Amino acid sequence: MEKRCWRLQEVLQKLGKADETKDEQFEQVVINFRRQESEGSRLQREMKAYMSAIKGMQQASINLTESLHEVYEPDWHGKDDVLTIGKDCDALWEDFHNKLVDSTLLNLDAYLQQFPDLKTRVAKRSRKLIDYDSARHHMETMQTSGMKNDRKMMKAEEELKKAQKVFDELNTGLQEELPTLWDRRVGFYISTFKSVTSLEAKFHREISLVKLYEVMTKLGEQHSDKIFTIQGAPSDSGPLRLARTPSPPEDESPPDSPDLSTNHMLRPISPGPPRPKSPTQVSVSPHVDENMPIPSVVIEPASSNEGDDDRDADIISPTAISDNGVTTENQNIKHISPSGGASGLPDDFLYKVETMHDFEAANSDELDLKRGDVVLVVPTASAEDQDAGWLTGIKESDWLTFGAGAQKGLFPENFTQHLE
């Protein structure tokens, strides 16, 4: 019966037939409370999903290590170490999960346990406010009608005072607790996620100390003649090779230099693309008169008993120009022959290129090049790399030093210029 009367009073208030007490400030507090509860519930849900993902990663790590141990041959280095490493990783995952549960999930549960009781009290306050408005409206109606029945008037006053007392007790408590709870959410979020990130950092730091990488490295040294390379796969030295060659830097503008013709004569700069000055080229002083004839350079063949390397020859310039602009006679300049002779080049040699821009190798099958390096180009094994603009070659300096043992590797064609 009381519930029906309460609902009737609520309907009358909505229809404007009875007075309704409005508290807009408290209504905003209730809106914030409901938002805070919703956000906390979502945070709890996502944290539980995160915990489940950690358990999934833990199981996946165990399965992966067990599969590696199963394919290990008895004579391979580190067979027992692999199993031990797997157990260590599993223990780290388990410790990470348990600490997250203790420091975040349990705190989240305690945080959300505040909301059901407050939610009940907010709903009760709404009902008691309607009771208070009903008693007040009844009292005002009796006073307006001029009723002289003192006993009914006293009863109406008692009911009004009682309803007001119950409402005030609920209202006062909620007016203090709800804003305080709303303000505390910031500190709770800070402490929660600081704990999460701290535990994550500790976990990754500890799991990085697991020595599986070292075991695999020693296994590779044990079977260095059986290394299997997947073209385009990640390597220790860097990321995957790009499907297309990288673009050379645009801000490099190599200084102009005289071009070295095939008959070893210095000639004026051609209108073709400029390239960096090679260390083997003769530089002309900027103080030389422009009308002065360009000196010729004659190559004198080296004798067969001069040094160990028959690829070097002395260039004798009868009219070389010094730094102060004065011509000198018989100035000797060391020069490395571009061809080097048929016997001094790789069997599958195609042509030479000069590096126009620095290139840093991103994979173990690529060359590190500096601007000015000369590369001996040989056929590229992979048609896919060749179509993507990659060449295969050997640095000329490495070939002269190590011969057939020099490193062969890939490099982008658009970082180089063809040498005739």
Side-chain angles (χ1 to χ4, degrees), residues 243-315:
R244 297 173 56 190
T245 55
S247 300
E250 297 180 358
D251 57 347
E252 289 190 24
S253 52
D256 295 337
S257 64
D259 190 18
L260 188 63
S261 62
T262 54
N263 60 357
H264 306 282
M265 297 289 292
L266 287 171
R267 65 187 182 189
I269 301 170
S270 66
R275 63 186 175 88
K277 184 182 295 183
S278 170
T280 62
Q281 294 177 354
V282 179
S283 61
V284 179
S285 170
H287 302 291
V288 177
D289 187 356
E290 295 181 358
N291 297 324
M292 182 177 293
I294 301 175
S296 62
V297 180
V298 180
I299 297 179
E300 179 183 12
S303 62
S304 59
N305 58 356
E306 262 188 355
D308 296 332
D309 193 350
D310 61 355
R311 286 180 291 276
D312 290 343
D314 288 336
I315 301 176

Side-chain angles (χ1 to χ4, degrees), residues 52-109:
S52 299
I54 291 175
K55 294 301 289 184
M57 280 297 300
Q58 179 182 1
Q59 186 60 47
S61 177
I62 295 172
N63 296 341
L64 184 61
T65 307
E66 288 178 350
S67 66
L68 177 60
H69 185 261
E70 289 174 3
V71 302
Y72 238 74
E73 298 292 342
D75 60 333
W76 289 4
H77 171 80
K79 181 175 177 65
D80 295 333
D81 294 337
V82 169
L83 202 58
T84 303
I85 288 170
K87 294 178 180 178
D88 293 341
C89 288
D90 180 60
L92 288 173
W93 280 109
E94 185 68 23
D95 182 63
F96 178 40
H97 177 270
N98 293 338
K99 287 181 178 178
L100 274 176
V101 170
D102 294 338
S103 63
T104 59
L105 198 57
L106 296 180
N107 289 342
L108 261 172
D109 292 342

Side-chain angles (χ1 to χ4, degrees), residues 25 39 60 72 108 121 134 199 210 223 245 289 328 339 358:
Q25 182 178 358
E39 291 174 350
Y72 238 74
L108 261 172
R121 290 165 60 191
S134 176
L199 289 172
V210 176
H223 301 276
T245 55
D289 187 356
T328 58
S339 62
D358 293 350

Side-chain angles (χ1 to χ4, degrees), residues 335-408:
H335 175 75
I336 298 176
S337 172
S339 62
S343 60
L345 294 171
D347 294 338
D348 51 355
F349 169 76
L350 299 176
Y351 55 88
K352 291 186 179 183
V353 295
E354 182 178 359
T355 306
M356 303 293 293
H357 310 280
D358 293 350
F359 172 70
E360 183 178 354
N363 294 280
S364 58
D365 58 348
E366 297 173 3
L367 290 179
D368 266 321
L369 298 176
K370 298 294 183 183
R371 195 173 72 173
D373 285 347
V374 177
V375 185
L376 310 177
V377 180
V378 297
T380 301
S382 170
E384 182 180 353
D385 284 337
Q386 188 172 357
D387 293 341
W390 295 85
L391 297 177
T392 303
I394 306 169
K395 291 168 67 172
E396 186 178 49
S397 59
D398 290 349
W399 175 261
L400 295 178
T401 304
F402 304 107
Q407 179 189 3
K408 182 190 299 185

Side-chain angles (χ1 to χ4, degrees), residues 78-339:
K79 181 175 177 65
D80 295 333
D81 294 337
V82 169
L83 202 58
T84 303
I85 288 170
K87 294 178 180 178
D88 293 341
C89 288
D90 180 60
L92 288 173
W93 280 109
E94 185 68 23
D95 182 63
F96 178 40
H97 177 270
N98 293 338
K99 287 181 178 178
L100 274 176
V101 170
D102 294 338
S103 63
T104 59
L105 198 57
L106 296 180
N107 289 342
L108 261 172
D109 292 342
Y111 173 73
L112 290 176
Q113 284 175 1
Q114 306 172 86
F115 290 90
D117 177 64
L118 289 171
K119 193 173 182 181
T120 301
R121 290 165 60 191
V122 168
K124 185 176 181 180
R125 176 194 177 276
S126 298
R127 295 195 300 271
K128 295 306 176 182
L129 178 58
I130 294 175
D131 292 343
Y132 168 72
D133 287 338
S134 176
R136 180 172 54 81
H137 178 69
H138 179 61
M139 182 69 181
E140 291 173 354
T141 303
M142 292 179 65
Q143 289 175 346
T144 304
S145 64
M147 181 178 293
K148 301 298 182 179
N149 192 331
D150 295 337
R151 195 171 58 134
K152 289 186 178 181
M153 287 291 293
M154 289 177 59
K155 184 179 180 181
E157 288 178 1
E158 289 176 1
E159 291 178 352
L160 177 60
K161 289 178 181 180
K162 181 180 177 182
Q164 184 175 3
K165 181 181 178 181
V166 173
F167 170 75
D168 287 343
E169 288 176 355
L170 286 169
N171 185 59
T172 303
L174 292 173
Q175 290 279 13
E176 294 176 356
E177 294 180 46
L178 294 184
T180 302
L181 180 64
W182 172 254
D183 293 336
R184 283 172 49 201
R185 78 193 193 286
V186 181
F188 175 75
Y189 295 156
I190 292 172
S191 62
T192 299
F193 283 96
K194 283 182 69 175
S195 178
V196 170
T197 54
S198 174
L199 289 172
E200 282 180 340
K202 182 176 182 291
F203 167 74
H204 290 300
R205 187 166 57 250
E206 290 177 347
I207 205 167
S208 66
L209 301 177
V210 176
K211 303 299 182 182
L212 182 59
Y213 183 88
E214 285 77 0
V215 172
M216 294 295 102
T217 301
K218 291 182 180 179
L219 179 62
E221 294 172 356
Q222 182 186 8
H223 301 276
S224 58
D225 58 332
K226 302 174 183 177
I227 296 300
F228 177 67
T229 303
I230 301 177
Q231 192 75 352
S235 69
D236 295 342
S237 60
L240 279 170
R241 178 159 54 250
L242 300 174
R244 297 173 56 190
T245 55
S247 300
E250 297 180 358
D251 57 347
E252 289 190 24
S253 52
D256 295 337
S257 64
D259 190 18
L260 188 63
S261 62
T262 54
N263 60 357
H264 306 282
M265 297 289 292
L266 287 171
R267 65 187 182 189
I269 301 170
S270 66
R275 63 186 175 88
K277 184 182 295 183
S278 170
T280 62
Q281 294 177 354
V282 179
S283 61
V284 179
S285 170
H287 302 291
V288 177
D289 187 356
E290 295 181 358
N291 297 324
M292 182 177 293
I294 301 175
S296 62
V297 180
V298 180
I299 297 179
E300 179 183 12
S303 62
S304 59
N305 58 356
E306 262 188 355
D308 296 332
D309 193 350
D310 61 355
R311 286 180 291 276
D312 290 343
D314 288 336
I315 301 176
I316 301 178
S317 173
T319 56
I321 302 171
S322 64
D323 291 341
N324 58 8
V326 179
T327 59
T328 58
E329 299 292 333
N330 299 331
Q331 182 178 4
N332 292 336
I333 304 173
K334 295 296 291 180
H335 175 75
I336 298 176
S337 172
S339 62

